[in-house]
Amino acid sequence: MQRGALLDAARSLLSEGGTEALTFPALAERTGLARSSVYEYFRSRAAVVEELCAVDFPVWAAEVENAMARAETPAGRVEAYVRSQLDLVGDRRHRAVVAISASELDADAREKIRAAHGGLVTMIVEALAELGHEQPRLAAMMLQGVIDAAVRRIELGAAEEPGVIAETAVAMALRGVQG
């Protein structure tokens, strides 16, 4: 129960104030624990983020997978893949994990996150093959790059509305740069 409270506090801190806000004293204050107690659960900020990824990423992946399952065509699955990931950008869990850059994580944590993202990419390979891509795995990785760029654009508070960014990402996914 305490671990869950610490993770929830970490999500809030990261969402509200980014990396600088996630400190063990702040976690202790948010949860009512002694600072030394926080260290009993996590050895570092990177360990907190690693656990957030381990807990939250499967939930996001399931949401993407469920959205894709509701689509009736390969193009519909591609659209659902893009839109569902971009819909998650506003989710507090997503903002929290993105707030700490991968460079602050140890190699093991980065590899776990990379593997989780690889699972997302794998979800779309079949739909891309059905659409006729000769290299569906490569196309899936490139598509994820478009999504990642759209995510960053939304998170930065770009001039465009998030809906416009999402529409552009879907158009790129389905029609490339033809517009």
Side-chain angles (χ1 to χ4, degrees):
M1 207 158 91
Q2 291 293 357
R3 189 177 211 82
L6 285 164
L7 290 174
D8 196 48
R11 284 182 198 101
S12 294
L13 289 166
L14 287 166
S15 290
E16 295 163 9
T19 306
E20 296 79 29
L22 181 61
T23 65
F24 281 25
L27 282 171
E29 183 180 325
R30 287 272 174 120
T31 57
L33 294 173
R35 190 167 103 181
S36 60
S37 296
V38 176
Y39 284 98
E40 291 177 28
Y41 292 94
F42 301 104
R43 69 188 183 290
S44 65
R45 291 185 327 159
V48 175
V49 174
E50 184 178 348
E51 178 120 359
L52 283 172
C53 289
V55 169
D56 292 343
F57 202 88
V59 174
W60 305 332
E63 290 178 28
V64 172
E65 195 168 30
N66 289 337
M68 290 175 63
R70 291 189 299 272
E72 297 177 10
T73 65
R77 288 194 296 281
V78 170
E79 182 173 352
Y81 179 80
V82 173
R83 286 189 190 281
S84 60
Q85 287 188 65
L86 295 179
D87 287 346
L88 292 171
V89 173
D91 187 300
R92 185 173 65 103
R93 295 166 301 173
H94 184 268
R95 284 195 317 260
V97 173
V98 171
I100 289 187
S101 68
S103 63
E104 289 192 41
L105 302 177
D106 61 31
D108 187 47
R110 281 195 307 272
E111 185 52 39
K112 287 178 182 173
I113 292 168
R114 199 175 358 264
H117 273 280
L120 267 182
V121 169
T122 300
M123 284 183 202
I124 197 64
V125 170
E126 183 180 331
L128 292 170
E130 289 176 41
L131 287 173
H133 283 277
E134 291 179 19
Q135 299 284 331
R137 178 92 179 136
L138 176 59
M141 289 185 278
M142 302 290 278
L143 173 58
Q144 191 61 47
V146 168
I147 294 166
D148 293 344
V151 166
R152 282 190 302 278
R153 191 97 182 133
I154 292 169
E155 288 171 346
L156 287 173
E160 306 87 8
E161 292 293 320
V164 171
I165 295 169
E167 290 303 321
T168 303
V170 168
M172 290 282 298
L174 297 176
R175 296 187 302 275
V177 295
Q178 294 177 22

